[in-house]
Amino acid sequence: MRRAQHTLFGLWAVLGLGIAWAEGAPVWAAEGDAANAELLYKTYCVQCHGATGKGNGINVRDMSVQPRDHTDAAGMVGLSDDRLFKAIKEGGPAVTKSVLMPPWAGVLTDEEVHGLVRHLRVLCACEGRG
Amino acid sequence: MRAAISIGCGLLLAALWAVPPMVANAAGDAAGSALLAEQCAGCHNLTGPAPDTVQAVRARKGPDLFYAGDKYRAEWLTEWLQKPTRIRPGGAFYGDHIVPSQATDKWDQIDTASLPDHPALSAPDARAVSAALMANTPYAERIATVTVEPVSLPIFMGDMLFDKFKGCIACHQSGKDYGGFSGPELYTAADRLNPRFIYSYMQNPQAWDPKIWMPNMNLAAADLNKLVRYLQMIAEEE
């Protein structure tokens, strides 16, 4: 029974990933995903990046490097989606940036990190070039 | 001072040994457990498991206490419960206490007026509650596998590790009003917490609290030992 449930769960997971990989999220999933990504951002990111994403969170006063302003389109277009994904999952040093940007792989799934990348694109109202 | 504490602990252990342990525990636990259920369960999770969704971790009204015996130093617990002071400058969930800044060159602030004072207990109640809490050790096995290696390190190396190399300072204060606001103050951590818990939590915060907003910083054993030592040094300093 356990095993059957696991197999079933596995199937759903594979299906889910397949959909997530498909070009552009399907309409029926997009709204829930966006809301979830915003909740993640407001739980894990605003402590440094600020309630409005401007890089001025409660923690910044004594930090030696200021967090990136996620609403700054001019700066954010230069960072590709892959680059953002890597920075969030593996932390600043993985993209030759400060350790003050920590790695989130221990808390967030890949799918959740992809959701956050899309949320950053909403905040900057921009697409990545680079 | 250290020696006095050790002797004190020794005497306490001896005393506990002399009384049939089941009887001693049952009496202490009963009064403490009743108090916990009555006055504390509304804000603290006393039974586990830890919240496993983002929604639940944000809604938490106080830190989980169901593994209190794996986490705290008993003496600290008994004292603090009589005279509670602020440990988390941003409250249980910092997100509930932010005043957003509209300007990029000003930081968001913590609305300190919105942080409630913690209820205090009388000395006998604090002792009973502390005993009941310390009996909660669901992770005793995990704690038993931790070995903290004693290391010596100059304080400035500790500062470098904490501030520059690992970036802990972003979320934690390492001295009064120096550091971040979204995590507990750490210049009191060594007074409050079991050193093995400190080690284990830094190694993998999500093993204790799956959705907590402290990331796993992939710390190597050598750094974990140094950080435990550093937290002891800054606790002695303050």
Side-chain angles (χ1 to χ4, degrees):
Chain A
M1 188 53 201
R2 268 281 158 78
R3 172 147 310 202
Q5 271 175 0
H6 278 165
T7 315
L8 211 68
F9 180 75
L11 276 175
W12 280 112
V14 168
L15 206 70
L17 275 177
I19 290 169
W21 264 321
E23 179 80 6
V27 183
W28 54 266
E31 259 174 53
D33 278 3
N36 191 48
E38 187 181 3
L39 189 72
L40 293 173
Y41 190 82
K42 288 188 166 159
T43 308
Y44 300 105
C45 316
V46 303
Q47 49 184 331
C48 293
H49 288 277
T52 53
K54 294 202 184 93
N56 58 349
I58 51 168
N59 285 340
V60 174
R61 187 192 67 186
D62 295 336
M63 286 168 64
S64 53
V65 177
Q66 192 166 349
R68 183 171 281 276
D69 179 349
H70 290 153
T71 66
D72 168 32
M76 290 292 286
V77 286
L79 305 175
S80 68
D81 286 1
D82 288 348
R83 157 83 181 233
L84 297 180
F85 182 89
K86 199 170 164 75
I88 301 169
K89 184 174 176 183
E90 296 168 35
V95 293
T96 64
K97 288 288 182 171
S98 169
V99 294
L100 290 171
M101 169 61 198
W104 291 98
V107 203
L108 304 173
T109 64
D110 280 9
E111 208 179 323
E112 288 172 327
V113 176
H114 281 301
L116 279 167
V117 171
R118 284 193 291 275
H119 185 65
L120 296 182
R121 294 300 176 205
V122 175
L123 287 176
C124 71
C126 72
E127 292 298 324
R129 278 195 239 106
Chain B
M1 182 58 196
R2 272 281 156 72
I5 291 177
S6 302
I7 293 170
C9 287
L11 282 177
L12 196 73
L13 273 178
L16 282 177
W17 203 251
V19 183
M22 291 304 291
V23 180
N25 275 348
D29 286 0
S33 302
L35 264 165
L36 280 166
E38 246 168 61
Q39 300 183 24
C40 322
C43 293
H44 293 286
N45 180 345
L46 299 165
T47 53
D52 64 352
T53 65
V54 179
Q55 283 85 351
V57 87
R58 291 168 60 100
R60 189 159 54 189
K61 292 194 192 130
D64 292 347
L65 295 179
F66 67 89
Y67 52 86
D70 299 315
K71 176 172 181 181
Y72 303 108
R73 297 179 62 234
E75 318 86 271
W76 173 82
L77 205 48
T78 310
E79 268 174 44
W80 186 85
L81 289 170
Q82 297 170 63
K83 279 190 185 167
T85 51
R86 179 102 45 238
I87 299 166
R88 291 165 186 72
F93 172 51
Y94 72 91
D96 290 338
H97 304 279
I98 296 180
V99 189
S101 159
Q102 296 312 318
T104 320
D105 60 345
K106 291 243 176 57
W107 330 133
D108 295 350
Q109 303 287 323
I110 295 291
D111 177 12
T112 44
S114 72
L115 298 171
D117 284 337
H118 197 273
L121 295 177
S122 70
D125 284 355
R127 277 194 292 272
V129 163
S130 175
L133 282 175
M134 289 307 289
N136 293 342
T137 57
Y139 299 122
E141 263 176 54
R142 183 188 297 166
I143 287 290
T145 62
V146 174
T147 321
V148 182
E149 303 283 352
V151 291
S152 71
L153 105 151
I155 186 83
F156 78 91
M157 280 304 293
D159 283 334
M160 290 286 280
L161 190 61
F162 192 87
D163 292 18
K164 296 269 179 294
F165 300 148
K166 299 300 169 191
C168 318
I169 197 70
C171 305
H172 292 289
Q173 308 206 346
S174 60
K176 275 201 187 73
D177 204 31
Y178 175 63
F181 293 83
S182 61
E185 63 185 28
L186 288 186
Y187 55 94
T188 56
D191 298 331
R192 295 186 279 113
L193 308 170
N194 175 349
R196 289 180 168 179
F197 170 82
I198 295 182
Y199 185 107
S200 175
Y201 194 94
M202 294 189 304
Q203 187 175 38
N204 186 356
Q206 280 68 39
W208 292 92
D209 200 356
K211 296 293 173 186
I212 192 65
W213 51 98
M214 168 161 162
N216 182 330
M217 318 280 280
N218 308 315
L219 299 168
D223 287 332
L224 289 163
N225 286 318
K226 285 181 194 161
L227 286 164
V228 172
R229 178 73 194 115
Y230 177 67
L231 296 184
Q232 284 164 352
M233 288 194 287
I234 58 177
E236 281 159 18
E237 221 171 56
E238 282 296 324

